[in-house]
Amino acid sequence: MSEIPARAAGPRRTPDEIVWQSSPPGSIYDYIKVAAFSIGPDGTVDQWSERAERLFGVCAEDVVGRDPVEAFVPPRLRGQGHRKLAEILDGREWTGIVPFRLPARQDPAARGTTLGEGPDPVAADKGPGGAEGGSGGAGSASGCLPAREGVAEIYVMPTRTEDGDPAAVCIAVDVRTLHGVETDLAASQAIFGQSPFGFVLFGTDLRIRRVNERFASVFGRPAAKHQGLGAGDYLVPAQRDRLEAALRHVLEKGGALNDLSLTGTPPGESQPRHWSLDLYRVHSGTGRPLGVAALATDVTRRQAAAREAASARRNLALLNEAGSRIGNSLDLETTARELLDVAVPGFCDLASVDLYQALLLGDEQAPGMADGSAELRRVAFASAVSDVLPFLRQRQGGGAAPGTGGPARPVPPVSTPPPPRTESPAATLRESPAEVSPEERMREWSASPAGPFTVGRPSAPGEGRRERGRPWYGYGPGPEEARRHGAGAGSVDVGAVHRYPSDSPRARVLRTARPELLPGTDGDLVQSTLAVPMVAHDKVVGLAQFARTKGSEPFGERDRSVATELATRAAVFIDNARLYRREHERALLLQRSLLPPGEPEAAGLDIACRYLPGNEATEVGGDWFDVIELPGHRTALVVGDVMGRGLRAAAAMGELRTAVRTLALLDLEPAEVLSHLDEIAQGLGSPQQTTRAARQDQDTDLAEVYLATCVYAVYDSVTRRCTFANAGHLPPVLLEPSGAHRPALLLDVPPGMPLGVGGEPFEEVTVELPEGALLALYTDGLVESRHQPLDEGLLAFRNALTDPGRSLEDICDQVLRRLDTHHGEDDIALLMARVQGLPEENVGDWTLPRDPQSVGKAREYTREQLAGWDLEALADTTELLVSELVTNALRYGDGEIRLRLLLDRSLVCEVWDEGLVQPRRRRAKDTDEGGRGLQLVGLLAASWGSRRTPHGKTVWFELGLPDGESSGVDATEALLSLF
């Protein structure tokens, strides 16, 4: 019989209402193994209880009627045992320690006997006296229990039977089991009292039954004072509910619950503590639940260390992300936005980047940079929150938020808690939604996916500025600070130029190059701002500001270091981008200064050209084109591309272009021009060793190798023949006048090796161009890109040339529109020419024999031709110069003489002969009778010269056409000036 306590959920019962009923023992007797039996008047066992069966392992039928001394006492002690038994039957009580020995016997379980509740599962595994490890082995396997010895404490009480005969009632306890219980109890008490961890025993009513001293010391009251208290006496309601739910779960389910995190504030302390609880259910020996035991470990320091470690890991991840995301572009604004993309919202709620305006304009010593008051340009701004409160009434009315251009998203009521922020580490966990103000709820809602998210968007005029009587929710200094420090200290739009007064905190940061933590003011949305100078190569280039809103975790020292590292990394890339932009602009300026100014003109050709530099993300390349007028109404067309980028490529392009013009004016054949250019390109990379042998012997540095491709063409407007030579360049494209319905042709010009490779000759190809045909020279940027293979680009270019009759300007524009010319990966050069040969009536051509009479014939032909062209004003001068050249051909040349007059934009006279000796102008002495012919030609002609031909040489001069205003040089005066 045992008392059934009232249930935890029900009210306490009165003593009169206590119910008594039969139930399992569930007490200390379950552990100490108490057994009872009786001895009859004849000294034998007449009653044997079921507990005795479990304690001694002997069935009642095996012991009833036997002498207990003979049955259990070892032989050496039986004499003393009989004496004690006689004294007991004489009416004496006796208590003592009795050793006993059980002989081998049949296992009751093997015989299928059920002894009460069955054999004790614990005793079955014990040796003598209940000790574990008793012998078993073969005896147990054969159905017999081995003999064992033990010690029992027996309390013998004399009694009498119904007939008045003496008898005895015996209560036996296994001494060894009792000693084990005592030892376990002492150890349990020591562990419970001396444990460094808090230990709490909750009853089935979830009230505290017992606590140890460690737990009691934390909460500042004796251990006895904690009995009867509940979880609500230690924790806030939210934490209390969590603990009680966990206790009920363990009490009902029976399993253990590990690492339950709880937060609370002990009496007398201001900072909360964190505990980790391990819960498990405790029960009696019969399995009846007694309550729940809780082992509490103070993990406050562990939590702080974990937060520090998490913060360090987060910062390392942030810096790692910054390393991979910042600096992927050579654009200033893009790099600044990449910094803010990393910082917001992972590090802060708002951020901005200001750069010195003077540095952006190329002035590195602008006034005001020394004290931080120089002009700054806001290049980027990002926000993970929005100034929603100023727009609250408008949004609740269904209007559109300023600058959104559309209907506003629904705003939750101010009294409704917003969705929790989980992405930003700046946010902190609050224990109760009731602690969050309406402003905080609206701010948190604005940062959630349902709220606005603005990154780098310039605010509309007046947006975010405070009106009279309304709180300030802008970013940066408020209007009060603006009034204290002058205009420009308040909210700044992206792209706006502003400055900070020299006595302001931000100017001090720029001046000292040291970060500062600037607290927010009352009414501001911003809690604090980290103003960090952006330092690159020991130069402050701007200011980065990182701000966290109220309710977020404040900035710490580690945050200051992270912000400095982020700003420094971005500053280096921004400064590199600034230097690159400056170099890019200089290279572009150099390159454009070396290209032909305006629209080039050429005899017998209509010319149109286009040049498109790459975008700012790619350096300027070495593409160039040129149109060079040659004697005899001939024109050299050149397009080339220096491999490489930047100032180096632009400078190399300038050197090659100058060399091309110089070689072209020497009137060399196209293959010779490219051969000389090849040698020049090889010498560009080795300025100290210019000989070919020295260049071959030295170790070539690939970084200093200048390679270029070039196509050089010479067009003769009289014959409409064009001679091409190619040095690794793309082939020219020709669209014939009748090719409106078929694609343009790629001229078969041997490509040759690029300039700078050396060792290979160049070949020439001469093509007769039809009248009205279109000739196109170009660089690879026009037909090749990352997304367009070269073959496809060439086909698209040929298909884009469809109408040879349109103006060249329209055709160039059409080609650029139809092809992929906006990739910006490379420069693009396009040179187009329409063939217009010199009309036959503008050409006079005569062959003269090697006879002195040919000089007069030449003057006669010249005067007649000039009269036919209505150029009598040039007759005297032209006759004089023609007679000098023909005379020189007769005197110093070989073979027959050919005279040719060409009329286009100027008058050109050519005298051909088969001699190889070039005329050389020299100054005649006063006593010389001759030697003044070429001097006279040089005085009267606009230009003159000579060139080699396949069969001799040509000496020519050029005269400008009369325009009615200038009479030109008088031949008589020029002749007299020679003497």
Side-chain angles (χ1 to χ4, degrees):
M1 305 288 288
S2 63
E3 181 180 343
I4 305 301
R7 298 182 62 183
R12 293 283 183 175
R13 297 181 183 269
T14 63
D16 295 337
E17 296 174 330
I18 292 178
V19 178
W20 294 82
Q21 67 179 22
S22 177
S23 65
S27 65
I28 188 64
Y29 297 105
D30 291 335
Y31 300 96
I32 62 175
K33 306 298 181 183
V34 178
F37 61 93
S38 63
I39 300 175
D42 57 353
T44 61
V45 177
D46 63 352
Q47 290 187 357
W48 190 259
S49 67
E50 293 181 356
R51 281 184 175 268
E53 290 181 351
R54 290 197 298 270
L55 174 61
F56 295 102
V58 180
C59 300
E61 60 186 29
D62 295 334
V63 73
V64 173
R66 296 184 59 187
D67 184 349
V69 175
E70 296 294 333
F72 299 105
V73 178
R76 66 181 184 278
L77 300 176
R78 289 177 182 173
Q80 184 179 357
H82 284 296
R83 289 192 297 270
K84 288 294 183 183
L85 182 58
E87 293 176 359
I88 292 171
L89 293 178
D90 288 342
R92 292 184 56 185
E93 290 186 0
W94 180 81
T95 301
I97 303 299
V98 177
F100 63 90
R101 179 181 183 278
L102 296 179
R105 63 203 182 280
Q106 184 70 24
D107 187 357
R111 296 184 302 176
T113 304
T114 302
L115 303 177
E117 298 177 2
D120 188 353
V122 177
D125 293 334
K126 296 184 180 291
E132 294 183 5
S135 61
S140 297
S142 62
C144 296
L145 294 176
R148 64 188 182 97
E149 295 183 356
V151 178
E153 182 177 354
I154 300 179
Y155 178 37
V156 182
M157 298 171 289
T159 184
R160 291 188 180 273
T161 64
E162 294 179 355
D163 300 333
D165 296 329
V169 175
C170 302
I171 298 177
V173 178
D174 190 335
V175 173
R176 295 184 180 181
T177 303
L178 182 59
H179 289 171
V181 171
E182 292 175 349
T183 302
D184 293 344
L185 184 60
S188 176
Q189 182 63 27
I191 294 174
F192 188 82
Q194 301 173 18
S195 172
F197 307 106
F199 188 89
V200 186
L201 179 61
F202 292 92
T204 56
D205 57 354
L206 305 187
R207 294 280 175 176
I208 293 179
R209 293 290 177 258
R210 189 178 180 184
V211 300
N212 66 349
E213 291 298 329
R214 174 59 180 168
F215 182 89
S217 64
V218 171
F219 287 92
R221 66 177 73 178
K225 296 292 185 180
H226 291 275
Q227 295 182 9
L229 300 181
D233 297 314
Y234 303 92
L235 303 173
V236 296
Q239 300 291 312
R240 176 203 62 196
D241 295 341
R242 292 182 62 230
L243 178 56
E244 290 182 349
L247 291 173
R248 291 192 185 93
H249 174 81
V250 173
L251 194 60
E252 295 173 0
K253 302 298 182 180
L257 181 62
N258 298 323
D259 198 17
L260 174 65
S261 298
L262 293 177
T263 303
T265 304
E269 297 185 12
S270 58
Q271 297 297 327
R273 289 198 188 187
H274 301 272
W275 292 284
S276 173
L277 269 66
D278 294 326
L279 306 178
Y280 59 94
R281 188 174 70 181
V282 294
H283 49 78
S284 66
T286 59
R288 181 172 60 87
L290 300 177
V292 178
L295 183 64
T297 305
D298 192 339
V299 294
T300 304
R301 293 184 179 180
R302 188 192 306 171
Q303 291 277 359
R307 285 196 301 271
E308 289 292 323
S311 177
R313 288 193 299 269
R314 185 175 66 245
N315 292 338
L316 288 176
L318 189 70
L319 294 177
N320 182 60
E321 182 183 9
S324 62
R325 296 183 59 183
I326 299 177
N328 295 324
S329 170
L330 287 174
D331 181 73
L332 284 170
E333 290 75 10
T334 301
T335 303
R337 286 194 298 269
E338 289 171 347
L339 168 63
L340 302 192
D341 289 342
V342 172
V344 179
F347 179 71
C348 61
D349 299 315
L350 307 99
S352 66
V353 174
D354 298 329
L355 300 179
Y356 276 125
Q357 176 74 354
L359 291 179
L360 298 178
L361 298 178
D363 185 6
E364 299 187 4
Q365 301 296 332
M369 293 181 62
D371 61 357
S373 62
E375 288 186 340
L376 296 162
R377 183 194 299 174
R378 176 67 52 84
V379 295
F381 170 79
S383 172
V385 297
S386 178
D387 302 337
V388 296
L389 284 181
F391 308 141
L392 181 58
R393 293 188 182 89
Q394 180 179 4
R395 289 196 175 193
Q396 286 179 339
T404 60
R409 285 167 285 187
V411 178
V414 176
S415 59
T416 302
R421 294 180 60 187
T422 58
E423 297 182 359
S424 174
T428 55
L429 177 64
R430 301 179 177 85
E431 294 184 356
S432 173
E435 300 175 10
V436 185
S437 64
E439 291 84 357
E440 293 297 326
R441 292 173 185 158
M442 294 306 300
R443 183 194 62 77
E444 292 189 2
W445 170 80
S446 66
S448 68
F453 186 84
T454 305
V455 175
R457 180 184 61 85
S459 57
E463 180 179 342
R465 300 188 180 275
R466 183 173 66 170
E467 299 178 7
R468 183 179 300 275
R470 299 178 65 181
W472 172 254
Y473 292 100
Y475 167 59
E480 288 78 6
E481 185 174 350
R483 285 191 291 271
R484 288 197 307 269
H485 298 295
S491 177
V492 180
D493 294 338
V494 174
V497 177
H498 64 103
R499 68 172 69 230
Y500 295 115
S502 58
D503 59 343
S504 64
R506 289 166 175 82
R508 183 170 61 250
V509 171
L510 291 169
R511 181 171 58 253
T512 62
R514 295 179 179 177
E516 289 190 17
L517 181 62
L518 308 178
T521 58
D522 295 338
D524 285 358
L525 177 65
V526 173
Q527 171 185 257
S528 59
T529 301
L530 264 177
V532 183
M534 305 185 71
V535 182
H537 309 118
D538 298 328
K539 179 186 292 293
V540 178
V541 299
L543 179 69
Q545 300 183 66
F546 307 96
R548 290 180 181 175
T549 56
K550 292 182 178 178
S552 298
E553 181 180 355
F555 287 112
E557 285 301 322
R558 182 176 281 110
D559 295 323
R560 185 189 296 255
S561 300
V562 172
T564 302
E565 178 68 18
L566 289 175
T568 301
R569 289 191 182 189
V572 172
F573 289 114
I574 286 177
D575 194 55
N576 291 341
R578 178 183 67 85
L579 297 177
Y580 168 78
R581 176 181 291 182
R582 184 179 65 182
E583 179 179 343
H584 183 274
E585 292 174 351
R586 292 178 179 178
L588 186 60
L589 179 63
L590 172 63
Q591 188 177 37
R592 287 182 172 175
S593 67
L594 297 175
L595 294 176
E599 294 293 337
E601 296 181 355
L605 292 174
D606 286 341
I607 302 292
C609 53
R610 293 290 186 274
Y611 174 74
L612 298 179
N615 55 33
E616 292 188 359
T618 58
E619 296 184 86
V620 173
D623 295 14
W624 93 91
F625 65 90
D626 208 346
V627 178
I628 308 170
E629 292 190 79
L630 301 178
H633 292 311
R634 294 174 304 128
T635 303
L637 305 176
V638 189
V639 170
D641 184 3
V642 176
M643 299 181 187
R645 298 184 180 278
L647 280 173
R648 177 176 174 274
M653 178 270 289
E655 295 185 64
L656 292 179
R657 178 178 180 271
T658 303
V660 168
R661 296 189 68 87
T662 302
L663 295 172
L665 293 178
L666 294 178
D667 217 346
L668 302 177
E669 295 298 324
E672 294 184 65
V673 171
L674 293 186
S675 296
H676 290 298
L677 280 179
D678 185 35
E679 294 188 5
I680 293 174
Q682 294 178 60
L684 292 179
S686 53
Q688 296 181 352
Q689 303 186 36
T690 57
T691 65
R692 182 179 304 173
R695 288 195 299 269
Q696 292 176 352
D697 294 339
Q698 68 179 350
D699 293 333
T700 303
D701 183 2
L702 296 180
E704 296 298 330
V705 172
Y706 286 79
L707 298 178
T709 61
C710 178
V711 59
Y712 184 87
V714 176
Y715 169 72
D716 190 341
S717 61
V718 179
T719 62
R720 295 198 312 276
R721 291 182 178 178
C722 190
T723 302
F724 296 93
N726 192 351
H729 203 78
L730 295 175
V733 174
L734 179 66
L735 178 63
E736 297 181 348
S738 59
H741 302 291
R742 58 183 178 180
L745 304 175
L746 290 176
L747 296 182
D748 186 12
V749 179
M753 300 298 291
L755 301 178
V757 175
E760 294 292 334
F762 298 96
E763 300 182 37
E764 294 180 357
V765 172
T766 301
V767 179
E768 184 173 348
L769 305 179
E771 181 75 19
L774 292 182
L775 179 65
L777 305 179
Y778 52 95
T779 57
D780 57 352
L782 179 68
V783 295
E784 185 179 22
S785 68
R786 187 178 306 171
H787 307 289
Q788 178 176 264
L790 178 60
D791 294 342
E792 296 181 5
L794 287 174
L795 180 59
F797 180 37
R798 294 167 58 194
N799 293 332
L801 300 175
T802 56
D803 188 0
R806 297 177 59 185
S807 69
L808 287 180
E809 296 295 332
D810 293 343
I811 294 176
C812 288
D813 294 338
Q814 173 182 323
V815 168
L816 296 181
R817 283 194 305 268
R818 294 185 60 177
L819 298 183
D820 180 20
T821 59
H822 300 289
H823 51 78
E825 298 174 8
D826 196 2
D827 297 356
I828 295 175
L830 174 62
L831 178 62
M832 300 196 69
R834 176 179 282 118
V835 176
Q836 293 180 348
L838 201 62
E840 293 184 3
E841 58 270 17
N842 288 7
V843 179
D845 196 346
W846 303 273
T847 301
L848 303 174
R850 296 193 61 80
D851 190 307
Q853 302 297 327
S854 297
V855 177
K857 285 289 185 181
R859 288 197 297 266
E860 181 181 347
Y861 293 152
T862 299
R863 179 172 294 275
E864 291 177 357
Q865 186 65 62
L866 293 179
W869 289 340
D870 198 17
L871 294 177
E872 290 85 354
L874 297 178
D876 295 338
T877 302
T878 306
E879 286 184 33
L880 177 60
L881 299 183
V882 165
S883 63
E884 288 293 334
L885 296 185
V886 173
T887 301
N888 284 344
L890 289 172
R891 180 175 300 181
Y892 305 108
D894 294 321
E896 63 179 5
I897 300 172
R898 180 183 177 189
L899 172 64
R900 189 168 71 167
L901 295 179
L902 307 176
L903 177 62
D904 192 59
R905 293 176 299 161
S906 64
L907 177 63
V908 175
C909 176
E910 297 177 341
V911 177
W912 303 51
D913 70 82
E914 297 177 4
L916 300 178
V917 180
Q918 297 290 325
R920 183 171 62 89
R921 181 179 177 181
R922 64 181 181 86
R923 181 174 294 278
K925 299 180 181 179
D926 294 341
T927 58
D928 291 343
E929 295 183 359
R932 295 178 176 84
L934 293 181
Q935 294 186 36
L936 182 62
V937 174
L939 287 174
L940 296 179
S943 60
W944 77 279
S946 66
R947 68 177 183 274
R948 291 188 177 89
T949 63
H951 305 287
K953 67 177 181 298
T954 300
V955 183
W956 57 271
F957 68 84
E958 184 177 2
L959 294 174
L961 300 181
D963 54 6
E965 297 180 1
S966 59
S967 57
V969 180
D970 184 71
T972 304
E973 294 295 334
L975 183 61
L976 293 177
S977 67
L978 297 178
F979 298 95

